[in-house]
Amino acid sequence: MELRIYHMYPDLLNLYGDRGNIIVLERRSRWRGIRVEVVNFTREEERSLEDADIIFLGGGSDREQELLYSHLSKFKNLLKELVEAGVFVLAVCGGYQLLGKYYIDAYGNKIEGLSILDFYTQAEKGRLIGNILVETNLPIGLKTIVGFENHGGRTYHDYTPLGKVIKGFGNNGKDNKEGLIYKNVIGTYLHGPLLSKNPHLADYIIKKALERKYKKEISLAPLNDYEEILAHERVKDKILKEGKPKIGLSL
Ligand code: GLN
């Protein structure tokens, strides 16, 4: 079996080591004998996208989001088709915000989104920064997901969240929701990179992408995740011991 992973704008959407998510997906697939091709999709080098099995968008500053939008908007219809066809999309922070209708940044500039999903984001006073612990209902074994968030944008939607915020801010610091799930789309504010301390989520993405591609149930061979789970538990304990998160200064 093989997977083609599209890394969207690795030169722009590259905050807080988010490219580590590509490395985790690639390694956890290859360790199971699954061939992987990583395709870098940039403004200079577009690729077809139709052959994507996983599409990854990382985090970016307001400036990078604005920079790439006009280029990415050329592919909004195709991306919507791919989402509806069940291609797996993992979108982190700025990448997550771009899937919605718009993002109003800290200066009141309206950055158009792809309108693939029906939600919006607006920057509000202060930044939502810190470690974050989420409880998910995804059938991925471990119920918790750990990460780090740093965003001025607050996202509002009625989709199924990735999970409930146990500690931290999440989508907007108000409704106790973190992220979004729609078909095989996961949007999240969790950096870290997200998948390095959440191998159960990484395997969920690999499994779902393979099942859509090969149209059959896939059970992945277990890996020795001792270190990854130890890191997950250590971070979870640390987050639970931390005080209530405080909204950071606006940049
Ligand atoms: N620029 C967006 C915000 O500040 C996203 C930041 C990010 O990707 N970490 O909300």
Side-chain angles (χ1 to χ4, degrees):
M1 293 190 285
E2 63 178 22
L3 281 175
R4 189 164 287 108
I5 304 174
Y6 271 68
H7 188 179
M8 303 300 282
Y9 307 98
D11 55 332
L12 293 171
L13 295 178
N14 57 6
L15 282 186
Y16 307 118
D18 284 344
R19 64 180 294 275
N21 293 310
I22 296 283
I23 298 170
V24 171
L25 290 170
E26 190 178 10
R27 296 281 167 82
R28 296 187 70 81
S29 298
R30 289 200 169 136
W31 289 337
R32 292 167 163 124
I34 300 161
R35 288 188 309 283
V36 177
E37 181 193 356
V38 176
V39 178
N40 288 330
F41 184 102
T42 64
R43 289 169 297 172
E44 298 74 28
E45 201 177 346
E46 301 169 2
R47 295 280 297 265
S48 66
L49 275 168
E50 280 98 347
D51 58 358
D53 300 308
I54 298 172
I55 295 172
F56 174 71
L57 297 106
S61 71
D62 294 3
R63 179 184 161 278
E64 269 90 5
Q65 286 169 260
E66 190 145 31
L67 259 180
L68 71 88
Y69 175 71
S70 54
H71 183 264
L72 185 56
S73 60
K74 293 190 298 185
F75 303 90
K76 67 195 288 186
N77 295 336
L78 173 57
L79 283 166
K80 180 121 180 95
E81 281 168 34
L82 295 174
V83 162
E84 294 305 322
V87 170
F88 210 104
V89 176
L90 175 63
V92 177
C93 207
Y96 168 26
Q97 294 171 343
L98 283 168
L99 299 181
K101 294 186 291 188
Y102 61 82
Y103 166 46
I104 298 178
D105 73 15
Y107 302 98
N109 304 314
K110 185 172 184 180
I111 302 169
E112 291 300 325
L114 297 170
S115 296
I116 291 175
L117 296 173
D118 181 17
F119 70 83
Y120 69 94
T121 300
Q122 65 188 36
E124 293 170 15
K125 195 167 170 357
R127 292 185 68 80
L128 306 183
I129 303 175
N131 293 313
I132 175 168
L133 174 63
V134 171
E135 189 174 279
T136 184
N137 289 326
L138 278 178
I140 54 176
L142 267 186
K143 300 295 288 170
T144 49
I145 300 173
V146 296
F148 172 79
E149 62 184 323
N150 179 346
H151 51 106
R154 276 68 163 176
T155 295
Y156 298 89
H157 63 67
D158 296 323
Y159 291 97
T160 304
L162 173 58
K164 181 175 76 172
V165 176
I166 303 297
K167 202 74 170 292
F169 296 105
N171 285 337
N172 50 52
K174 299 177 191 121
D175 63 14
N176 230 21
K177 293 180 187 174
E178 200 302 305
L180 169 151
I181 298 172
Y182 172 76
K183 291 185 177 240
N184 275 343
V185 176
I186 289 182
T188 179
Y189 273 110
L190 272 66
H191 297 285
L194 169 69
L195 299 179
S196 57
K197 294 183 282 293
N198 301 293
H200 44 310
L201 186 58
D203 285 354
Y204 174 79
I205 294 169
I206 295 166
K207 172 181 165 66
K208 287 291 185 184
L210 288 170
E211 287 179 346
R212 185 199 73 92
K213 181 168 189 159
Y214 293 101
K215 298 180 178 46
K216 64 177 182 179
E217 169 119 17
I218 298 277
S219 61
L220 296 175
L223 296 173
N224 175 356
D225 285 336
Y226 172 77
E227 280 157 356
E228 291 85 346
I229 298 303
L230 182 64
H232 177 97
E233 294 301 329
R234 288 275 168 86
V235 169
K236 186 166 96 175
D237 292 346
K238 177 179 182 308
I239 294 174
L240 288 171
K241 288 190 184 106
E242 286 173 348
K244 191 167 171 358
K246 293 188 191 65
I247 293 184
L249 294 175
S250 296
L251 288 179

